[in-house]
């Protein structure tokens, strides 16, 4: 029903993102999707990868601040209105969307990642509308 | 032509001043010993009795008071008279532990206001002047002190308090203010606002300004003088002794004359407490000679400066002190507010943050800025910007509640604030306040 997303705290300073991604690469983590939220002081790097547990441990070891969040991965078809349809279902069910970003799985096609306030209700509402949410193993 | 408010004091001979100080000191030590148990105990511990103090030459025998004593004795422990004889309380900003609460009898208020009147007269103030007081009013001593001094001189007094700068300028224009009293940073801001409003110094009638409560440089003085078309004078004081008017600048603008008939000044070695000869750089110590309600003897100000009896062209013989050249503790004055790094640390710990932080103080467009970087702990991290921004805002608010001024808070990654082997560098002050 949901997938694991790793978030990493990145200071908004020159070279910090490079430092973090190099570290991720050196630990053999293959990022499948990412988004970055930024403010004046800091950014939050959000990653979807195959083995989130290993990736998180590696990042922690490297002194990075991380957190793991369950997010929804929703399959999306390649045509106009697909995203709107999903968001309408969520809005109808009074689900608050914190952020969203796109994700392309070689195995399973295009997905949108949604961070919502209530995963269970959101998944149920989407299921009710015939929209499927993916599990970790569906994606890789 | 020099102007004096009390020429018999301000231009007294050294012998005359000594005689005044000797007489007052003997009386004051007795008053304190009889009425302030806290200080009596300090004197007893040192084996000093009031009879041992016969002139100011005996001053060095008395124990010091420090801010720690004020904290221990808070709030009434250093009070030397019945509360029913007191008519006023003033206080510094800050936390309970750091807050200074000073009490005044009517006589104390009168003498304090006279000190401010001397300062206003020294910059040319008379009953023909309009004195705009743009210091904060309230517990802060700035507004009430200069307000009272302005009344004593007979100036038409405009009790504006600080803020609402365009209105300040409008009043200044409409009511022809000639003297401005406020913090130097606010004076600079008024100067900039004047320009932003499309006005020049020719559009206002100000001739002089009395600026204190925070450190400022000669460069800042020149900026303010130019932007407002005035002569800018420094004034010094502290709530512990009364408020502004402990010392003030005259037309020579080369240091501040201490109202030494009320405040006996010494310079000591901050490490050893030893009294240093005139002309030495050291920590300034004051003994209140007249205060009835809150008479501090040998109070260590922590301000580092130099005293001089060099003849002044203004004719005053009152001893002069330089602008404070630094502190013998870690207190900073930011936007006129006394700030100790430990106060900020207390809030950080209380709010669940690490004690690894960096305080950066700077001055932009003549206004102090306070930036606090604090390390985020893994437990506090969440994946949404909303949550982290709220954390920054909450922490800034908590610090504002503690200090009375708003900081900018920056969350940083763990272990990014430099650890040092010895004393941690917690504060970077880029203001270059001391020329």
């Amino acid at each position: 029903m949901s997938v694991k997303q790793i978030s990493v705290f990145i200071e908004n300073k020159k070279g910090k993102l490079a430092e973090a991604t190099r570290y991720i690469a050196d630990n053999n983590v293959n990022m499948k999707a990412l988004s970055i939220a930024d403010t004046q002081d800091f950014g939050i790097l959000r990653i979807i990868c195959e083995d989130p547990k290993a990736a998180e441990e590696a990042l922690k070891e490297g002194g990075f601040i991380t957190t793991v969040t369950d997010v929804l991965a929703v399959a999306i078809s390649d045509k106009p209105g697909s995203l709107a349809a999903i968001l309408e279902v969520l809005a109808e069910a009074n689900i608050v969307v914190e952020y969203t970003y796109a994700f392309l799985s070689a195995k399973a096609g295009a997905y949108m990642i949604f961070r919502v306030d209530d995963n269970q209700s959101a998944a149920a509402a989407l299921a009710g509308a015939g929209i499927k949410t993916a599990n970790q193993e569906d994606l890789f | 032509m020099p102007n004096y408010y009390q020429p018999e004091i301000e231009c007294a001979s050294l012998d005359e001043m000594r005689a005044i100080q000797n007489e007052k000191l003997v009386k004051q030590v007795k008053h304190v010993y009889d009425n302030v148990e806290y200080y009596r105990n300090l004197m007893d511990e040192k084996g000093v009795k009031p009879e041992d103090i016969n002139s100011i030459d005996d001053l060095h025998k008395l124990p010091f008071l420090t801010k720690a004593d004020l904290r221990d004795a808070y709030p009434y422990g250093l009070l030397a008279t019945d509360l029913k004889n007191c008519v006023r309380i003033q206080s510094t900003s800050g936390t309970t532990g750091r807050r200074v609460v000073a009490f005044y009898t009517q006589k104390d208020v009168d003498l304090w206001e006279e000190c401010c009147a001397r300062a206003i007269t020294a910059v040319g103030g008379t009953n023909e002047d309009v004195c705009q007081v743009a210091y904060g009013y309230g517990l802060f001593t700035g507004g009430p002190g200069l307000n009272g001094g302005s009344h004593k001189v007979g100036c038409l007094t405009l009790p504006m308090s600080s803020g609402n700068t365009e209105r300040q300028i409008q009043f200044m224009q409409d009511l022809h203010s000639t003297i401005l009293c406020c913090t130097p940073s606010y004076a600079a801001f008024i100067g900039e606002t004047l320009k932003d409003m499309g006005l020049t110094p020719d559009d206002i009638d100000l001739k002089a300004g009395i600026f204190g409560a925070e450190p400022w440089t000669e460069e800042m003085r020149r900026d303010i003088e130019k932007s407002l078309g005035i002569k800018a004078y420094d004034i010094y004081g502290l709530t512990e002794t009364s408020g502004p008017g402990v010392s003030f600048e005259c037309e020579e603008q080369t240091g501040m004359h201490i109202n030494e008939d009320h405040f006996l000044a010494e310079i000591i070695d901050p490490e050893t407490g030893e009294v240093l000869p005139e002309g030495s750089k050291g920590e300034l110590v004051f003994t209140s000679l007249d205060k009835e309600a809150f008479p501090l003897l040998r109070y260590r100000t922590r301000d580092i400066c130099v005293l001089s009896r060099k003849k002044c062209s203004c004719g005053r013989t009152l001893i002069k002190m330089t602008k404070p050249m630094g502190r013998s503790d870690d207190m900073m004055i930011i936007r006129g507010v006394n700030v100790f790094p430990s106060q900020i640390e207390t809030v950080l710990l209380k709010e669940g943050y690490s004690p690894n932080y960096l305080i950066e103080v700077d001055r932009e467009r003549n206004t102090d800025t306070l930036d606090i970087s604090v390390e985020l702990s893994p437990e506090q991290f969440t994946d949404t910007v909303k949550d982290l921004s709220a954390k920054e805002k909450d922490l800034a608010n908590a610090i504002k509640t503690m200090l009375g001024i708003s900081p900018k808070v920056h969350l940083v990654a763990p272990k990014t604030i430099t650890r040092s082997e010895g004393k941690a560098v917690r504060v970077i002050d880029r203001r270059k306040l001391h020329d």
Side-chain angles (χ1 to χ4, degrees), chain B residues 119 122-123 221 232-234 247-251 253-257:
Chain B
V123 309
R221 188 203 304 263
Y233 300 91
D234 205 353
S247 65
F248 60 95
E249 261 186 343
C250 62
E251 69 230 26
Q253 294 179 312
T254 54
M256 295 172 276
H257 289 286

Side-chain angles (χ1 to χ4, degrees), chain B residues 57-86:
Chain B
D57 295 333
D58 298 321
L59 185 62
H60 68 275
K61 296 175 184 168
L62 292 170
F64 290 116
L65 281 173
T66 64
K67 211 158 204 148
D69 292 307
L70 265 60
R71 185 170 53 220
D72 291 347
Y74 177 89
Y76 301 122
L78 291 164
L79 190 65
T81 187
D82 275 353
L83 275 179
K84 66 172 190 241
N85 298 325
C86 298

